[in-house]
Amino acid sequence: MTDNNSFDKLSIDYLEYYFIQAFAKTQYSLENQDLRTTAPNVNVFNLSTLNSFASQTQFLLEAMGISFQPNISANGDGNEEETFQARSPYQASIKLQDGRFVLQTNSVIKAPLNKTKAWSDGGNFHKRSQRRYNQLLESGKAIKIDELTAKLVDNVEFTSPSTPAELCLGVSQNGWKF
């Protein structure tokens, strides 16, 4: 940090490194060109201050619902959890684990249906859902079955049950009912 408490380039590089490493262990897909696998050479006095700032920022992000929890394995880790199967004919299961909704490996997801483009929201649902669907494919967390359907090869965590329900149906859905 500089004398006037603003961040210099090295401090910003370190904070970027810190958060890339933190998010790489989660369910989020990183789109950075440079994944910064090597920590910038920050002096020990600044390192303590930067780690404290990063820790406080991480706390605030978690309070806003952005999880830094490690990606959950298919076996679980002994925490209290409950699994719910989607109703037939959908092939999906959601595990409730530590207040998070985890769409399980082998669940079948769908691209948003074309009819959602004409919804009164101006197609926002369709765009958001298509982006989420494509991100799962591009990150390798899902593999295509056909042009509009894919299968998860990894668990994916959400803060509510509605988003995984929408992924499985291709339309907006109350996740509690699904």
Side-chain angles (χ1 to χ4, degrees):
M1 296 180 66
T2 62
D3 292 336
N4 64 359
N5 288 330
S6 63
F7 292 110
D8 58 17
K9 182 178 179 344
L10 187 59
S11 297
I12 292 170
D13 286 346
Y14 179 79
L15 290 171
E16 185 177 18
Y17 164 81
Y18 178 96
F19 284 104
I20 286 173
Q21 298 311 306
F23 278 116
K25 299 171 187 164
T26 68
Q27 80 278 3
Y28 298 108
S29 299
L30 299 175
E31 297 179 5
N32 298 53
Q33 294 295 324
D34 177 7
L35 292 180
R36 298 196 181 262
T37 55
T38 306
N41 190 11
V42 178
N43 76 44
V44 294
F45 302 109
N46 286 347
L47 186 61
S48 175
T49 303
L50 290 171
N51 280 333
S52 176
F53 179 81
S55 181
Q56 292 169 11
T57 303
Q58 186 172 337
F59 173 80
L60 292 172
L61 289 170
E62 289 205 0
M64 294 174 23
I66 299 171
S67 173
F68 282 82
Q69 295 300 314
N71 200 9
I72 300 165
S73 69
N75 295 334
D77 59 5
N79 292 329
E80 187 176 329
E81 49 192 53
E82 195 170 355
T83 302
F84 301 91
Q85 296 296 319
R87 67 181 186 272
S88 184
Y90 304 103
Q91 299 172 4
S93 61
I94 297 174
K95 183 182 289 186
L96 177 58
Q97 184 173 21
D98 295 329
R100 300 283 183 186
F101 300 87
V102 182
L103 189 57
Q104 299 291 282
T105 301
N106 294 322
S107 293
V108 176
I109 60 173
K110 295 182 179 183
L113 302 179
N114 279 332
K115 70 180 183 178
T116 62
K117 288 180 185 177
W119 282 4
S120 62
D121 69 347
N124 287 332
F125 172 85
H126 186 274
K127 291 174 195 168
R128 184 178 61 247
S129 296
Q130 188 67 53
R131 186 174 50 247
R132 187 175 290 123
Y133 178 82
N134 289 339
Q135 188 178 38
L136 289 170
L137 289 172
E138 291 166 4
S139 68
K141 293 181 187 260
I143 54 172
K144 270 190 171 188
I145 295 173
D146 59 38
E147 197 57 38
L148 299 174
T149 311
K151 185 181 210 177
L152 291 181
V153 294
D154 200 1
N155 293 339
V156 182
E157 185 178 303
F158 299 92
T159 57
S160 81
S162 295
T163 304
E166 292 167 358
L167 270 170
C168 294
L169 289 168
V171 295
S172 183
Q173 175 66 36
N174 179 330
W176 294 104
K177 291 181 180 179
F178 180 72

